Amino acid sequence: MSAVRFIADLHFGHKWMAEHRGFSDIHQHDEHIVNQWNSVVNKKDIVYILGDITMESADHYYRLDAMNGRKKVVLGNHDNPRHVPELLKYVEEVSGMVNYKGIWLTHCPVHERELEYRISRNIHGHIHEHVIMDSEICDGDLLIYPHRNYHCVSCEHVDYKPKTLAELGITR
């Protein structure tokens, strides 16, 4: 049985990101991502990579060959459009945004107004350590909590493992 999974912001080969994430070097960072990915992704699974595979370089796309599953990419702000022909040697498709079962898959979060009339949820990357928050007044108190319609799948948020809808708390 195959699953559909989501992850973002791999940043293969990016020295600053590897150090910022607590790894000693690029190799340790990149290998950790590959190992975590392969610990949950089967050969027939579909994984949507929601942007920033590398840092504006095609030099590290080869890492995708070591990763299980069928890969589909939504380009991010650090994915160079000129590298798409090279990227397509390693993935099935490349998009700017995908509507998956009424959920928009994007790199950057969509504007909140889109949630009012176009879509119900947004799975995205880009914001790394943070989540989009929501708030309301309840009995005179301001309550602040993670927005239930945004699901950030940056590597840091998902333990470097692609997640299913159910694992993200999305029930259909």
Side-chain angles (χ1 to χ4, degrees), residues 24-143:
S24 60
D25 58 35
I26 292 169
H27 179 75
Q28 182 189 41
H29 170 264
D30 294 358
E31 283 297 308
H32 181 74
I33 293 171
V34 171
N35 291 336
Q36 290 290 88
W37 175 297
N38 287 338
S39 75
V40 297
V41 177
N42 296 313
K43 150 174 123 169
K44 292 184 179 180
D45 288 353
I46 296 171
V47 181
Y48 284 93
I49 305 170
L50 305 183
D52 290 1
I53 295 171
T54 66
M55 187 64 176
E56 301 170 4
S57 168
D59 295 343
H60 297 275
Y61 289 158
Y62 71 90
R63 292 231 175 243
L64 295 166
D65 272 348
M67 300 163 81
N68 297 336
R70 299 169 46 208
K71 298 158 211 77
K72 299 182 179 195
V73 173
V74 172
L75 292 176
N77 58 303
H78 292 298
D79 296 314
N80 190 323
R82 291 183 310 222
H83 298 154
V84 169
E86 181 67 18
L87 179 58
L88 283 167
K89 295 176 183 176
Y90 303 94
V91 303
E92 287 186 13
E93 63 185 56
V94 174
S95 306
M97 179 181 352
V98 172
N99 183 338
Y100 178 77
K101 297 185 176 185
I103 302 166
W104 277 6
L105 309 179
T106 60
H107 176 64
C108 294
V110 298
H111 192 279
E112 192 171 8
R113 283 199 170 168
E114 297 295 326
L115 298 172
E116 295 173 7
Y117 68 96
R118 288 186 189 242
I119 58 167
S120 61
R121 295 185 184 265
N122 177 212
I123 301 175
H124 64 88
H126 186 64
I127 56 177
H128 298 278
E129 299 93 9
H130 305 287
V131 294
I132 297 174
M133 303 301 284
D134 201 357
S135 64
E136 64 181 286
I137 304 289
C138 182
D139 295 328
D141 294 322
L142 177 63
L143 302 177

